[in-house]
Amino acid sequence: MAQGGVRLEPEPGDLTTVSGGPGDIAPLGRDLPKPAHEQTAAEDVNAATWDQVAATDEFRALVAAKIRFILPATIFFLVYYMALPLLVGYAPDLMKTQVIGEINLAYLFALSQFLMTFILAYLYLRKANQFDAMAQNIIAKLGIKKGGTK
Amino acid sequence: MSTSLIMFVIFIAITLGITYWAAQRTSGTTSFFAANRQITGWQNGIAIAGDYMSAASFLGIAGLIAFNGYDGFMYSVGFLVAYLTVLLIVAEPLRNSGKYTMADVLAYRLSARPVRSMAAISTLTVTTFYMIAQMVGAGTLVALLLKDSGINYNWAVVGVGALMIIYVVFGGMLATTWVQIVKAVLLMGGTLLLSILVLAHFNFDLGAFFHAITHVQSTVEGKPVTTNYLNPGLLYKPPWGALDLLSLGLALVLGTAGLPHILVRFYTVPSAKIARTSVVWAIAIIGTFYILTTFLGFGAATIVGKGFITTNGGTNMSAPLLAQNLGGDIFFAFISSVAFATILAVVAGLTISASTSFSHDFWTNVVHGGEERTKGQEVFVARMSALVVGALSILIAILLGPTFNVAYMVGLAFALAAAANLPAILFSLFWKRFNTVGAVTGMATGIIATLVFIIISPSIMAVDPDTLTAGRHLIQAKAIFPLANPGIVSIPLGFIGAYLGTILSHEPASEAKYNELNVRANTGLGAEV
């Protein structure tokens, strides 16, 4: 992302060097910008003032909404999943109970883990659309384009 | 030339074609490391599946179920559920705040040099164990599948190694991605076909199939025995079996979200939203595959039988032998080449993630302080390190030889990833107080604890009878730690290490940058495009 100044594309054969001091607000010359990821917060300041964004109600609401879904969902699937080795390991006789014909509880519980994974993934996919909309809203309010430098 | 060899050659020709095509399109850093971030959601989803479902999944789990029944199926469950951790917690923030490697996210707030060095060490350690398991497996397997063609273990290892080097060095992430996609399609096709043949064998009567599973006939000491293969407990026995199972489960479900070769896949898509879609695609494909291992494994147990498999190549040959039994030599050749494709796609993924980490994390950001000295250097170093990684893997696999016991190494890689990488990633994203000392101690504790507990476990320490010549244990003494899977101890230790390191030190700079990382991770603002 360009700093304060205008960045010119270097033309073939143009060997103009970067001039200006390190303390300049708008360095002169044609130095290529650092990729977004490697910029320090100070350099990237025109993309957003992070602390201000973090303090907005919209952003807090987004983080809260995510936590409200992700935390219980994670606890649920971890408990549900760990229940399988626990029950199989410590209550093998219960798990050997034949439920449907000769199919036992152990196999059905294992199969239900697949179903659980599919359903939870689907629920998250639906829920995440709301998160996307909230994030878009935050970005739109800042009046800048999403995405950094290529 | 055997039919198997012809099919292998066809697959190799296709993948080399892909590599040539990809090489034409690969120029520049983002192109080499992240396929220009132009992979679509479904493509990445299939590629994740291709990257993830190793020979351990296809041949290993089929064999485990064929020999141990239900206990083998437990692996199938863990391998899938793990993707919920990836989907809910890791994929999107990683895509939003990183660039090429897992360490990018850590280096965001923390001091780059120590954290990236440690992350590179961790990545290379996890990848090495995963790779050794794949390469030794590949060597034995290819030699077995192509034994009519006179290809021995060493040549098989060299062949697999050379191919993975070619894919990565010339085709970068784009070639790797498409090799993984082709492999995943082949694997799913082969598995579906094999499952249908198993069902057809039972006249599409599920009742008859499950009756056969619950009444598997075998002879023990000359007497006929009937075993219910659907009952747990054939593999994991008292006194430590249950705890071992729990430990394995923990490593699987938490480890996937820390596997470097899976995490780098999220940088190949244009945005976090598409990263999310790709995980859901991966869940659909991987889930279907692991459900089908029911037919592969139990099919081999009931139709082929443990006795026949043991005398014809051992556990890993369960699926190919089932294919031979049901579909003849052509189908055996097809399933064998699917297994071959499976291995190649996984080792290519491992190679590119290891070389990306070495070049981007260690070379550019640690040695050169974050700047590429000359244009294209990062990619050049990555290509060279892919060559070195490949050559070393070939060498190690040949030195260890076909009889070395590698079965525990994939599980170990998951435990390492869970204990070393996951605490650092999670704390970095969600804990403002987290800092450099915490990240370094956490990763170091995770790596050391996992390695120590595996060395003193029954996987390395056991007293073998003198008659045993193949697959002897490294230390001939009674194991100190009773579990084969170290996760249940090493994962909490990794978290505790990261926690203690953090609270015993203070780093205002890291806390000051938390808001920035938090906003980026949650909104995608400023994400790499």
Side-chain angles (χ1 to χ4, degrees):
Chain A
M1 194 72 56
Q3 320 293 302
V6 180
R7 181 166 63 88
L8 299 170
E9 289 302 325
E11 285 176 38
D14 181 354
L15 299 173
T16 314
T17 50
V18 183
S19 54
D24 286 358
I25 295 166
L28 302 170
R30 300 198 168 95
D31 198 16
L32 288 170
K34 283 183 185 177
H37 176 67
E38 264 142 27
Q39 289 172 344
T40 63
E43 286 167 338
D44 213 8
V45 73
N46 64 334
T49 37
W50 304 106
D51 289 340
Q52 282 177 17
V53 179
T56 58
D57 289 341
E58 287 88 348
F59 183 74
R60 283 159 184 265
L62 169 64
V63 173
K66 278 190 171 182
I67 291 175
R68 255 200 318 278
F69 182 88
I70 291 172
L71 194 65
T74 305
I75 293 171
F76 169 76
F77 86 74
L78 283 179
V79 169
Y80 193 82
Y81 169 68
M82 293 316 286
L84 179 72
L86 273 174
L87 285 171
V88 164
Y90 294 100
D93 290 330
L94 171 74
M95 297 306 274
K96 286 176 186 170
T97 317
Q98 299 195 332
V99 183
I100 305 172
E102 284 163 307
I103 303 176
N104 60 19
L105 194 58
Y107 184 75
L108 289 177
F109 192 35
L111 270 191
S112 80
Q113 301 274 346
F114 289 90
L115 198 64
M116 181 274 289
T117 307
F118 293 147
I119 291 174
L120 203 53
Y122 172 73
L123 289 179
Y124 176 68
L125 203 58
R126 264 188 25 181
K127 192 78 188 170
N129 286 329
Q130 291 176 23
F131 302 152
D132 287 343
M134 292 168 88
Q136 282 307 317
N137 191 24
I138 294 169
I139 294 168
K141 276 201 171 178
L142 292 169
I144 47 166
K145 262 181 74 185
K146 186 183 172 183
T149 44
K150 183 139 186 151
Chain B
M1 207 152 93
S2 70
T3 327
S4 296
L5 191 60
I6 294 170
M7 291 208 187
F8 277 44
V9 171
I10 294 174
F11 177 75
I12 292 170
I14 293 171
T15 53
L16 289 180
I18 290 172
T19 309
Y20 179 77
W21 167 83
Q24 308 287 310
R25 280 156 187 77
T26 298
S27 75
T29 319
T30 308
S31 161
F32 183 84
F33 290 131
N36 268 328
R37 311 198 197 283
Q38 291 301 307
I39 304 293
T40 66
W42 66 268
Q43 288 169 352
N44 196 44
I46 300 175
I48 292 170
D51 203 7
Y52 187 64
M53 296 188 292
S54 62
S57 297
F58 181 50
L59 303 170
I61 292 183
L64 274 171
I65 299 175
F67 277 61
N68 307 294
Y70 180 83
D71 284 2
F73 192 61
M74 299 277 296
Y75 279 86
S76 292
V77 176
F79 278 126
L80 176 71
V81 177
Y83 272 88
L84 285 175
T85 320
V86 178
L87 175 69
L88 294 176
I89 304 175
V90 177
E92 295 172 52
L94 188 87
R95 175 62 187 84
N96 271 338
S97 49
K99 190 177 177 188
Y100 299 133
T101 62
M102 169 196 92
D104 287 340
V105 178
L106 308 181
Y108 219 102
R109 300 165 53 197
L110 313 177
S111 176
R113 280 193 174 165
V115 165
R116 281 194 191 268
S117 309
M118 205 60 222
I121 291 171
S122 171
T123 298
L124 293 176
T125 317
V126 173
T127 315
T128 304
F129 283 104
Y130 216 109
M131 182 77 101
I132 293 173
Q134 298 296 322
M135 291 294 278
V136 173
T140 23
L141 188 81
V142 174
L144 201 59
L145 297 173
L146 292 181
K147 63 174 185 282
D148 304 338
S149 318
I151 291 177
N152 65 18
Y153 172 84
N154 287 0
W155 281 113
V157 169
V158 172
V160 169
L163 282 170
M164 81 186 180
I165 292 172
I166 292 171
Y167 299 154
V168 173
V169 171
F170 295 106
M173 189 48 119
L174 190 59
T176 307
T177 303
W178 281 97
V179 168
Q180 288 167 345
I181 292 174
V182 170
K183 163 264 176 95
V185 171
L186 279 174
L187 180 63
M188 289 309 288
T191 308
L192 267 172
L193 212 59
L194 198 49
S195 303
I196 292 170
L197 287 178
V198 169
L199 273 174
H201 181 87
F202 292 98
N203 296 318
F204 296 97
D205 180 357
L206 273 175
F209 179 51
F210 278 100
H211 180 78
I213 298 173
T214 48
H215 298 83
V216 176
Q217 309 291 333
S218 59
T219 35
V220 177
E221 291 159 8
K223 288 180 196 150
V225 183
T226 305
T227 319
N228 185 343
Y229 263 44
L230 216 49
N231 278 347
L234 291 179
L235 178 63
Y236 290 99
K237 296 189 171 81
W240 295 106
L243 208 58
D244 226 349
L245 211 53
L246 205 62
S247 187
L248 171 77
L250 208 58
L252 292 182
V253 81
L254 298 178
T256 307
L259 286 179
H261 68 291
I262 298 299
L263 296 181
V264 294
R265 290 234 49 92
F266 298 118
Y267 295 124
T268 66
V269 296
S271 70
K273 188 180 165 74
I274 297 174
R276 177 200 308 148
T277 325
S278 70
V279 187
V280 175
W281 270 95
I283 286 178
I285 297 164
I286 295 169
T288 311
F289 172 80
Y290 283 115
I291 291 177
L292 293 178
T293 56
T294 301
F295 299 104
L296 264 54
F298 290 123
T302 52
I303 299 169
V304 187
K306 198 169 161 177
F308 184 80
I309 300 170
T310 312
T311 51
N312 284 279
T315 39
N316 280 337
M317 289 299 283
S318 303
L321 289 173
L322 178 67
Q324 189 166 38
N325 186 303
L326 295 173
D329 285 342
I330 302 276
F331 198 49
F332 172 79
F334 175 67
I335 290 294
S336 301
S337 62
V338 167
F340 180 62
T342 292
I343 295 170
L344 276 176
V346 175
V347 290
L350 291 167
T351 307
I352 198 161
S353 71
S355 49
T356 304
S357 176
F358 181 82
S359 172
H360 178 66
D361 293 333
F362 192 72
W363 186 262
T364 304
N365 282 299
V366 174
V367 178
H368 283 173
E371 272 184 63
E372 240 187 341
R373 293 282 162 88
T374 51
K375 199 165 158 34
Q377 193 186 40
E378 195 163 281
V379 171
F380 177 76
V381 172
R383 287 192 156 123
M384 288 304 109
S385 37
L387 199 64
V388 174
V389 167
L392 281 177
S393 314
I394 294 174
L395 201 68
I396 294 174
I398 288 180
L399 285 177
L400 292 177
T403 57
F404 190 75
N405 173 18
V406 290
Y408 63 91
M409 283 194 170
V410 168
L412 172 62
F414 275 85
L416 264 173
N421 297 345
L422 193 66
I425 296 175
L426 282 186
F427 284 166
S428 182
L429 287 171
F430 297 105
W431 189 22
K432 186 170 182 173
R433 176 80 171 77
F434 190 53
N435 56 33
T436 308
V437 179
V440 173
T441 48
M443 283 190 275
T445 318
I447 295 173
I448 294 167
T450 311
L451 291 180
V452 167
F453 280 104
I454 201 80
I455 289 171
I456 59 171
S457 80
S459 301
I460 302 276
M461 293 180 79
V463 184
D464 295 319
D466 291 335
T467 47
L468 189 74
T469 50
R472 287 184 73 86
H473 290 82
L474 287 178
I475 304 172
Q476 292 289 323
K478 201 174 172 302
I480 299 166
F481 182 66
L483 306 179
N485 296 290
I488 202 163
V489 183
S490 74
I491 298 169
L493 282 177
F495 276 98
I496 292 169
Y499 174 77
L500 286 180
T502 304
I503 56 162
L504 293 176
S505 63
H506 191 54
E507 190 179 338
S510 161
E511 290 181 49
K513 270 194 107 179
Y514 181 72
N515 277 341
E516 177 178 346
L517 178 65
N518 201 15
V519 171
R520 282 179 186 269
N522 282 300
T523 61
L525 208 55
E528 295 278 334
V529 289

